[in-house]
Amino acid sequence: MSGADLWHLLFGKLSADALPFYSAIAATAAGVVVCGALGAALLITWLGRWRYLWREWFTSLDHKKIGIMYVVLSLVMLARAVVEACMMRMQQAVAFDSAGFLPPDHFAQLFTTHGTIMIFFMAMPFLTGLINFVMPLQIGARDVSFPMMNSVSLGLTTAGAGLMMVSLVLGKFSTGGWSGYPPYTELGFNPGVGPDYWIWAVTLSSLGSTLTGINFAVTIYKRRAPGMTLFRMPLFCWTALCASILMIFAMPPLTVATALLACDRYLGMHFFTNSLGGNMMNFANLFWLFGHPEVYILILPPFGVWSEVIANFSAKYLYGYRSLVYATMAIAVLSFTVWVHHFFTMGQSADVNAAFGIATMLIGIPTGVKIYDWMLTLFRGRVRFTVPMLYALAFLLLFPLGGLTGILLANPAVDYQVHNTLFLVAHFHNMLIPGLLFGMLAGYHYWFPKAFGFRLDEVWGRIAFALWVAGFVLAFMPLYALGLMAMPRRTDAFFEAAYLPYTLVAAFGALLILAALVSLCVQVWVSVRRRRETEVFAGDPWNGRTLEWATSSPPPDYNFAVLPQVEGRDAFWLMKQDGRAYRTPDRYEDIEVPRNSAMGPVVGMAGAAAGFALVWHIGWLAIIGVLTMGGALIARSFVRHTTRTIAADEVRRIEARWRDAVAASPGVTRDDETTPANRGHAAMEVA
Amino acid sequence: MNRRDDYRRELRAYLTGLGLAVVLSVLAFGAVGLAEGVPGAISRSTVVWTIGLTAAVQVVVHFRYFLHIDLTRSKRDDLQLILFSALIVLLMVAGTLWILGDLRDRMMAVL
Ligand code: HEM
Ligand SMILES: [Cu+2]
């Protein structure tokens, strides 16, 4: 065996060429990743926190901790994707009549990673994290139905995110866009490792999401507290349920599409090639069978957040609860009837386009119902302009604009004119930023005190909010104009002078967004330093209405010492009204909670190894990775002690500490909600 | 009601299910066999319809007798989920067939 053969056996296609020394920018990015990872590892070692992290976080099966880890993952990925977005906007600002600073190939990698990360590794983990943390508390449960599977989902998602990060250091990522259409991503056009990175990162994360969907749906069906009928659930749980059901049905087409593409690339098959019976159009079909429901997976949980935030900070019952539920269901079903609007121009006949165009427009109706319901909830409420509420108001103003342009695009004749232009980019960012991202940020601000026991700094929250809104408007409104002026999307350079003013404004907007992100970091820093002033251990800083506020902040491992008895909608609010809140139960019982398990991290690491090995054709590592995943699952089924018991005495002690804190905290009125007077015990006011 | 009765009722249900499943399978295979064995005995479309219908009933039989899904209130959640799944799968499969069939026809027309 020659040296080259041996190398190939051990390292596959890896070689020194994989290192990013061909470009200063790529090398810098790789340097940031490597230094960031090393720095984090060193810091943890120096603080001696590995054990703590492993025991308390990575192997934890507590839905609250898993939720928090999801959100942390998504914020890290958000930072990378925003930086990439800024680079693209800078490029388009300077690339008039010149090449700019990014070669076309690099620009293409940027929009591909930006889109892929934003969807799969920012939005999905963020909403999964929020649902994970909040939903079991809201339905009065002690955990999700399958805690171990929850941790495995997190492991798989993190593995995918890890592959995305590794692709910055070793090899080049796909240039095929976040939708990865063949034949461009086929071997013939793209023999490098880029599309393979995309395939395996997306496959890992989609497997994780499928499992998550099953987990959440089962939890909502099976784990509700006594009295919590479906129609007494907080609206966030309804949106979580519908989003989970969408995950269950929408992720498989994606997994099939990427798997078939992998068969083409690895095994010489011809599902999507242009010859030997392949049909690349079926990839578009499969991808958007997933892709459209996906955007509703992304938007429904934020709708739930808006419902909670608006009702809570208006101190009112949600207006039109039932109509909101039915609208959510209608959206969920309709979202499976519209996928063709992503490829109106592929060549099918006008009949097909017309049917799907009309179905698309129909979705505007239930969404419109929701907007009115939220506005009517505000009407005559006791409205407080806290940070989540500010995001909600920005959403109410900006989101319908994006919806309106969506209705325009739903008309195939219009779509023929503006498809593949920046008009589309403006449209979907107008949905995703004010809708999804603001929703996630509102939820983050709203539930942060529940998760960590202290409130986030209001001032920096407002600064970040103002920057997000201004940045969004400046970065994306010009794109509508550019789109109507026919500037194509995914363009790295242009020669039309009329575009320039707009791309300059958009670049400035992107910088404001970067500043908004920095402000969020500063906010965390400031809030942590001042956490004594904003501590809310008593658990109810916003005069909450739903059950998550009926326990301490942070909640104990077991969430509720005694499962709450639900008498109606807005269960905690009713308890406070009838004086049933904070009542000491007659007796406590032992409580079983899931015992830690290394399954999640093990499956995640094995998955990442297998993915990496497949990308670089390292056979032995791929086999080991896959076998480890399967072996771990089998080994786990022999583990008999999967729960740990918290003794009744221990529960009594924990509960007494909390009740004492509640008794010691003065009831705070809504006027003082954001002052240090707020210790997490809300005074009941006459509205 | 004692355990023995329960057991007998269960057993009867499973056996009924098994019997129906066998009959339905035999019908489908029989239709194909007949068409193959005796040319001209039954038309192709009859065969296709027989297979399709027996398959549909087969699905119902499996749900009813093996997975214990019926119309009682306690099974309503499960039934709803099954019907919903059926709806979504139908949308996806029918939509895909329509779209790709249409595309194929249009490409053939050009050739
Ligand atoms: C935070 C501010 C953001 C900025 C400044 C930004 C900017 C951009 C830019 C410049 C592009 C390329 C446009 C082109 O094709 O010419 C792009 C594409 C894209 N963005 Fe964003 N974006 C932002 C946030 C988001 C968010 C929150 C999401 C989703 C959750 C998202 C999802 C996408 C997707 C899917 C693409 C398409 C990628 C492709 O063409 O394959 N972006 N964005
Ligand atoms: Cu769509």
Side-chain angles (χ1 to χ4, degrees):
Chain A
M1 188 190 277
S2 72
D5 284 344
L6 186 65
W7 177 273
H8 190 81
L9 194 66
L10 289 179
F11 299 109
K13 296 206 293 186
L14 262 178
S15 73
D17 295 341
L19 293 170
F21 293 129
Y22 49 86
S23 124
I25 296 175
T28 314
V32 170
V33 172
V34 172
C35 293
L38 279 181
L42 280 178
L43 186 71
I44 298 169
T45 313
W46 183 63
L47 294 172
R49 284 308 184 105
W50 281 113
R51 255 177 99 81
Y52 163 80
L53 279 179
W54 180 258
R55 282 235 191 118
E56 296 292 321
W57 292 90
F58 299 154
T59 59
S60 172
L61 300 192
D62 182 335
H63 71 96
K64 301 181 286 296
K65 289 187 173 161
I66 292 178
I68 291 169
M69 286 188 281
Y70 263 116
V71 174
V72 170
L73 172 71
S74 98
L75 290 174
V76 172
M77 300 310 280
L78 173 70
R80 170 171 166 197
V82 165
V83 170
E84 288 174 336
C86 287
M87 288 173 66
M88 285 189 283
R89 289 267 67 98
M90 292 307 125
Q91 164 76 8
Q92 287 191 343
V94 298
F96 165 57
D97 256 347
S98 85
F101 61 97
L102 291 172
D105 192 53
H106 197 166
F107 188 85
Q109 284 183 50
L110 284 176
F111 64 67
T112 308
T113 45
H114 165 82
T116 307
I117 290 181
M118 281 293 194
I119 304 284
F120 294 105
F121 300 108
M122 189 289 283
M124 289 299 273
F126 211 144
L127 65 92
T128 307
L130 278 191
I131 296 176
N132 237 316
F133 185 88
V134 175
M135 178 270 288
L137 287 166
Q138 281 196 334
I139 61 173
R142 292 209 170 114
D143 209 318
V144 292
S145 287
F146 309 116
M148 202 273 289
M149 190 161 96
N150 204 10
S151 163
V152 168
S153 305
L154 172 65
L156 290 172
T157 309
T158 314
L163 273 190
M164 296 298 296
M165 295 318 265
V166 169
S167 77
L168 271 182
V169 183
L170 295 172
K172 295 182 184 174
F173 200 75
S174 169
T175 48
W178 87 282
S179 45
Y181 277 9
Y184 183 62
T185 45
E186 289 279 5
L187 222 44
F189 290 89
N190 242 319
V193 295
D196 300 325
Y197 266 124
W198 180 81
I199 287 173
W200 299 118
V202 167
T203 304
L204 284 169
S205 102
S206 68
L207 288 176
S209 298
T210 312
L211 298 181
T212 300
I214 295 171
N215 210 343
F216 287 164
V218 174
T219 306
I220 295 177
Y221 268 105
K222 300 289 182 199
R223 299 293 290 261
R224 279 169 285 130
M228 177 69 82
T229 57
L230 282 175
F231 273 90
R232 284 179 181 172
M233 290 200 304
L235 212 85
F236 183 73
C237 295
W238 270 109
T239 58
L241 176 61
C242 290
S244 314
I245 292 176
L246 292 188
M247 284 188 208
I248 298 172
F249 289 100
M251 302 318 288
L254 174 69
T255 314
V256 168
T258 53
L260 296 184
L261 187 60
C263 289
D264 279 8
R265 289 183 62 88
Y266 285 82
L267 306 175
M269 297 191 183
H270 293 273
F271 287 105
F272 305 127
T273 60
N274 210 7
S275 55
L276 294 169
N279 182 354
M280 63 190 105
M281 289 186 283
N282 196 24
F283 182 91
N285 178 64
L286 285 171
F287 185 84
W288 291 110
L289 261 177
F290 142 80
H292 190 84
E294 165 72 9
V295 304
Y296 284 89
I297 299 173
L298 298 184
I299 205 63
L300 287 180
F303 281 177
V305 175
W306 299 128
S307 306
E308 302 298 308
V309 162
I310 290 176
N312 189 78
F313 290 112
S314 306
K316 274 178 68 180
Y317 279 97
L318 205 50
Y319 182 90
Y321 173 90
R322 272 182 183 265
S323 65
L324 279 165
V325 172
Y326 288 126
T328 307
M329 293 184 189
I331 292 177
V333 174
L334 282 176
S335 74
F336 282 103
T337 63
V338 301
W339 71 97
V340 172
H341 66 214
H342 295 272
F343 48 90
F344 275 151
T345 55
M346 199 161 77
Q348 60 278 17
S349 60
D351 297 349
V352 180
N353 279 354
F356 283 89
I358 292 169
T360 305
M361 293 179 202
L362 285 180
I363 294 195
I365 299 171
T367 317
V369 168
K370 294 190 155 205
I371 300 275
Y372 286 111
D373 279 339
W374 289 319
M375 295 197 313
L376 288 165
T377 307
L378 288 165
F379 183 61
R380 292 199 168 161
R382 171 82 171 80
V383 176
R384 290 98 72 193
F385 295 100
T386 53
V387 175
M389 192 60 159
L390 291 176
Y391 279 113
L393 296 178
F395 159 79
L396 282 178
L397 288 172
L398 293 172
F399 186 79
L401 200 64
L404 223 57
T405 57
I407 300 278
L408 293 179
L409 287 167
N411 184 331
V414 176
D415 186 72
Y416 259 88
Q417 301 304 314
V418 290
H419 89 277
N420 222 23
T421 68
L422 288 179
F423 190 87
L424 173 81
V425 175
H427 156 70
F428 69 68
H429 283 87
N430 198 343
M431 313 260 48
L432 288 170
I433 296 180
L436 165 106
L437 190 63
F438 286 6
M440 292 294 106
L441 289 174
Y444 159 78
H445 282 83
Y446 180 54
W447 283 303
F448 186 94
K450 181 48 60 185
F452 295 102
F454 58 94
R455 284 175 287 119
L456 283 168
D457 189 71
E458 282 288 311
V459 175
W460 278 101
R462 280 157 191 262
I463 294 174
F465 161 77
L467 287 169
W468 271 117
V469 174
F472 161 72
V473 170
L474 290 176
F476 289 99
M477 292 304 142
L479 301 199
Y480 281 122
L482 282 171
L484 293 177
M485 292 156 75
M487 180 164 173
R489 69 187 286 203
R490 299 176 174 171
T491 326
D492 64 304
F494 59 93
F495 307 94
E496 169 63 65
Y499 295 162
L500 189 60
Y502 295 96
T503 62
L504 287 175
V505 174
F508 178 66
L511 286 183
L512 289 188
I513 288 178
L514 192 63
L517 195 67
V518 174
S519 309
L520 283 180
C521 299
V522 176
Q523 184 195 33
V524 171
W525 173 256
V526 171
S527 310
V528 170
R529 295 201 50 172
R530 300 210 187 121
R531 63 187 179 281
R532 302 237 179 294
E533 288 166 36
T534 57
E535 173 260 283
V536 289
F537 175 63
D540 182 24
W542 313 126
N543 201 4
R545 312 176 68 81
T546 41
L547 283 177
E548 77 269 32
W549 306 106
T551 163
S552 64
S553 293
D557 286 350
Y558 49 80
N559 292 353
F560 301 99
V562 177
L563 289 186
Q565 180 67 41
V566 178
E567 306 287 349
R569 201 172 293 157
D570 288 10
F572 185 48
W573 182 257
L574 283 177
M575 289 182 184
K576 289 192 281 192
Q577 300 256 298
D578 315 344
R580 282 182 296 119
Y582 308 118
R583 193 181 279 168
T584 318
D586 305 332
R587 61 192 212 89
Y588 291 105
E589 284 172 3
D590 293 355
I591 297 175
E592 281 197 355
V593 293
R595 188 191 281 271
N596 282 16
S597 158
M599 269 297 283
V602 167
V603 171
M605 281 186 271
F612 182 79
L614 283 167
V615 168
W616 291 101
H617 296 254
I618 310 175
W620 60 271
L621 186 57
I623 293 172
I624 292 183
V626 173
L627 286 184
T628 311
M629 285 204 267
L633 273 178
I634 294 171
R636 166 76 188 186
S637 55
F638 288 98
V639 178
R640 308 189 67 176
H641 299 287
T642 55
T643 59
R644 134 181 100 84
T645 306
I646 303 177
D649 278 342
E650 173 82 9
V651 176
R652 176 176 303 112
R653 224 177 9 258
I654 297 173
E655 292 293 301
R657 190 167 92 86
W658 171 53
R659 271 167 228 287
D660 291 348
V662 174
S665 325
V668 67
T669 62
R670 293 310 97 202
D671 289 332
D672 296 333
E673 201 166 41
T674 53
T675 67
N678 187 350
R679 285 291 180 222
H681 182 191
M684 289 310 274
E685 295 165 84
V686 192
Chain B
M1 196 179 311
N2 59 28
R3 272 181 54 203
R4 227 181 110 75
D5 281 352
D6 261 356
Y7 173 79
R8 291 181 61 111
R9 215 160 33 92
E10 287 253 302
L11 191 68
R12 200 161 50 236
Y14 278 114
L15 287 177
T16 319
L18 183 65
L20 283 172
V22 169
V23 169
L24 288 163
S25 308
V26 167
L27 276 178
F29 280 99
V32 178
L34 191 62
E36 289 287 313
V38 192
I42 48 175
S43 72
R44 200 180 136 75
S45 77
T46 317
V47 175
V48 172
W49 276 106
T50 312
I51 297 175
L53 284 178
T54 49
V57 181
Q58 183 82 266
V59 171
V60 177
V61 166
H62 278 239
F63 276 129
R64 170 71 183 79
Y65 292 102
F66 301 150
L67 298 176
H68 306 291
I69 304 294
D70 49 37
L71 299 175
T72 55
R73 206 181 165 75
S74 58
K75 301 289 168 54
R76 190 152 310 166
D77 282 352
D78 294 333
L79 187 65
Q80 278 170 356
L81 286 174
I82 290 165
L83 290 177
F84 179 79
S85 311
L87 174 70
I88 299 299
V89 172
L90 190 78
L91 283 172
M92 291 201 203
V93 173
T96 299
L97 288 176
W98 187 31
I99 296 159
L100 289 169
D102 181 82
L103 283 161
R104 189 199 54 193
D105 291 349
R106 286 165 69 86
M107 289 211 293
M108 294 308 172
V110 172
L111 284 180

